[in-house]
Amino acid sequence: MCGIVGYVGAKRNIPEILLEGLKRLEYRGYDSAGLAIGLDSGMEILKSPGKVKELDRKLKAGWTQDKFKNAKVGIAHTRWATHGPPNEVNAHPHSDSKNRIALVHNGIIDNYSELKARLSSIGIKFKSETDTEVLANLISECYEGDLCSAVAAALKQVTGTYGIAVIAKDQPDKIVVARKGSPIVIGVGDDEAFVASDISPLLPYTKRVIYLDDNDITVLSRSGIDLRNMDNVPVTREIAHIDWDANAAEKDGREHFMLKEIEEQPLAISNTMRGRMDHNLVTAKLDGLNLTPRDIAGVSRIVIAACGTSLHAGMVGEYYFEDLTSTPVEVEQAAEFRYRNPILDRDTLVIAISQSGETADTLAAIREAKQKGALVASICNVVGSTIARETGRGVYLHAGPEIGVASTKAFTCQVATLLMMALKFGRAGRLSRSAGQKIISELEKLPDLVRQVLDSSDKIARIAKKYSSAKDFFYIGRGYLYPVALEGALKLKEISYIHAEGYHAAELKHGPIALLDENVPVLALANNIPGKDKVIGNIQECRARKSPVIATATFGDKDILKHADDVMEIPECSDFVTPIPTVVALQLFAYYVARERGCPIDQPRNLAKSVTVE
Ligand code: F6R
């Protein structure tokens, strides 16, 4: 999804800081990039389709060291096309027809067509197909020397979402930023200030950040940060201190962020659980939920809303709540939930799960739930993200930044969090102390269980190589491993581009079995959990259609070799936690298949890390 970075100050080389910032935003997924630099003599805008390195090349081709020597302000952008194809004209920054201002924008201006018609009727000519160019012209029309007032006046005419950064040709020492529905973070420096759409470009320069709220508008200059609302009333926002360091967002010597993130799961899961086990009361301490045992007793129903991988985690959570509590649970695709007429009341707890905390559909779902009076909580990774802030109560994963577009450590930490939540709810109700103790001790083994799977990655890589030329794949599982089959298939398709479907093992014979033959491998999750015998039966159905079978099985299961061509071993553990080591094997499998096929693993085509449009 689109990314923004900006800098004002005299301490740094502006083109370098902008390009470096854009590189740190690459993980979000994008298709073009651009920058605008304010100079005493005017404003330079440079854009390019494709990757940031193209922009860099273009800049250096026309760049003399002296050109930007005295520059004090710059903004830059990576664009993920929404209005008009990814090309140079549609790339940001956009300027107005008089070239007075330059603007970068994340989000979508819903009423841009009518604004464009109005501006066209007064003679303004547009070069691009974007909604952003319309906003640039609207700001320019309002501009009479005070950029902040012009931006506020223009935004008052706009419906939709935006995170924006604007500079003016005649004020080459300030940036005006504003947000509504699209995140903007300000980096606080000494005699300098930074802006970005998330914290990763800011980390090398400052750990002090301010998250803007919706309808905030702010002027950044060397002399400070002037925070206001749209009615020009000064507002105060807390300065947060970020403990992620810049290295945490780098690859640590691995070929891909995805591999680094798969391998750091023992640590990520430990961080998720750190300080949260209450051995005395045999429960989980999740203070951010802000729910007393009495509040929990009042919850008559739980609805989990999420998208993609987070949705699959939610599906595992449904099993947890149903096994450990007496509370009925429904798991909803956030996009669908929002457009139905969900029946919610004060006794319903809606749990939004989102790694980024910015997914538009999930955000819309919680807004709907709040409006209908439900209790709303979230499970997010990104601290200070919109979903986390809007729900007000929830649990952070503390998994560290997830840069690879394919979500890995967020999934395992979400599942661990859901198990802790179900433990907390269970212990406030019918779950016995001894059953609770068993869950805590299984949770505490998780980092080690994952390490054991990681130790077998060479074997998984060999199996992956063998199947890497397949065109289609099925993943099947039952019980706790059914959502894991869905997640394993999602991982394979998104990074290797192999068509892969996750199915409940029993559903295969209700249709998809027609597709099986010797060219369609089936990955069957056949660990020792209830339902294993039936999965073995389903494997037989696949083999009878000549499908090669790869199975996950519990360490030491000699029998499985009779049923499967290849086996990925998963350490012995209780059914509760088995989704976590099992999914790690599937993540590695997908990773090595994609690597074998030479795919761009961290930035798969057509995908974005944070999906902030519906
Ligand atoms: C898959 C993936 C996506 C996300 C989905 C929700 O690997 O990353 O399916 O899980 O876009 O994103 P979040 O969790 O940020 O709401």
Side-chain angles (χ1 to χ4, degrees), residues 474-487:
F474 276 90
Y475 283 60
I476 57 171
R478 285 172 180 260
Y480 281 113
L481 293 180
Y482 164 52
V484 176
L486 303 187
E487 175 58 10

Side-chain angles (χ1 to χ4, degrees), residues 243-494:
D243 55 7
W244 292 1
D245 63 10
N247 282 339
E250 285 170 9
K251 284 184 224 162
D252 249 358
R254 311 303 196 293
E255 200 179 335
H256 298 101
F257 280 114
M258 183 178 176
L259 184 61
K260 172 182 174 263
E261 287 157 12
I262 291 172
E263 291 183 355
E264 70 194 12
Q265 287 178 103
L267 178 64
I269 295 167
S270 302
N271 287 342
T272 296
M273 297 190 307
R274 179 154 296 131
R276 286 173 165 166
M277 295 306 170
D278 185 334
H279 291 269
N280 269 340
L281 297 176
V282 191
T283 186
K285 284 188 282 189
L286 301 171
D287 297 341
L289 277 179
N290 206 7
L291 292 174
T292 61
R294 203 176 153 157
D295 295 331
I296 292 174
V299 173
S300 63
R301 180 170 154 247
I302 293 174
V303 175
I304 296 176
C307 303
T309 288
S310 298
L311 179 70
H312 297 154
M315 291 171 73
V316 181
E318 181 177 20
Y319 287 81
Y320 291 152
F321 279 100
E322 290 184 347
D323 282 348
L324 306 183
T325 76
S326 313
T327 316
V329 180
E330 288 148 56
V331 184
E332 299 269 3
Q333 289 174 2
E336 189 57 25
F337 173 80
R338 187 257 165 116
Y339 285 108
R340 289 207 327 268
N341 181 23
I343 314 289
L344 301 169
D345 57 26
R346 277 193 327 206
D347 300 336
T348 306
L349 172 65
V350 175
I351 304 173
I353 308 178
S354 175
Q355 187 285 129
S356 61
E358 303 294 347
T359 300
D361 285 320
T362 312
L363 185 57
I366 57 160
R367 285 180 177 161
E368 173 80 17
K370 271 169 88 171
Q371 207 222 329
K372 291 198 154 160
L375 207 56
V376 177
S378 62
I379 298 176
C380 291
N381 190 34
V382 178
V383 175
S385 57
T386 310
I387 292 175
R389 287 185 296 134
E390 289 207 8
T391 47
R393 65 174 85 229
V395 183
Y396 280 124
L397 299 181
H398 300 309
E402 192 178 65
I403 308 290
V405 166
S407 187
T408 52
K409 61 178 177 173
F411 178 82
T412 47
C413 293
Q414 285 163 347
V415 172
T417 300
L418 285 159
L419 184 49
M420 289 192 287
M421 265 179 141
L423 168 67
K424 182 178 171 75
F425 275 60
R427 288 289 295 140
R430 68 172 162 93
L431 192 73
S432 70
R433 204 178 155 86
S434 65
Q437 257 150 356
K438 177 153 192 278
I439 290 162
I440 292 184
S441 89
E442 289 294 314
L443 273 164
E444 287 177 337
K445 284 183 206 152
L446 270 173
D448 191 49
L449 294 170
V450 171
R451 240 173 252 121
Q452 291 181 54
V453 177
L454 295 173
D455 286 346
S456 64
S457 57
D458 287 350
K459 182 175 176 200
I460 296 175
R462 281 196 297 279
I463 301 174
K465 186 169 182 184
K466 181 170 161 191
Y467 293 94
S468 59
S469 56
K471 291 201 169 50
D472 303 280
F473 244 97
F474 276 90
Y475 283 60
I476 57 171
R478 285 172 180 260
Y480 281 113
L481 293 180
Y482 164 52
V484 176
L486 303 187
E487 175 58 10
L490 178 62
K491 287 289 89 82
L492 188 71
K493 70 186 125 194
E494 62 186 334

Side-chain angles (χ1 to χ4, degrees), residues 6 8 26 30 42 62 82 86 100 197 223 230 237 262 330 359 405 418 425 476 492 503 529 555 573 608:
V8 55
E26 286 194 300
Y30 69 103
T82 54
R100 299 202 299 170
S197 45
S223 54
M230 287 295 164
R237 301 277 171 251
I262 291 172
E330 288 148 56
T359 300
V405 166
L418 285 159
F425 275 60
I476 57 171
L492 188 71
Y503 257 87
I529 65 164
F555 273 145
C573 52

Side-chain angles (χ1 to χ4, degrees), residues 156-167:
K156 282 185 180 156
Q157 302 173 53
V158 153
T159 58
T161 56
Y162 51 78
I164 58 170
V166 194
I167 59 174

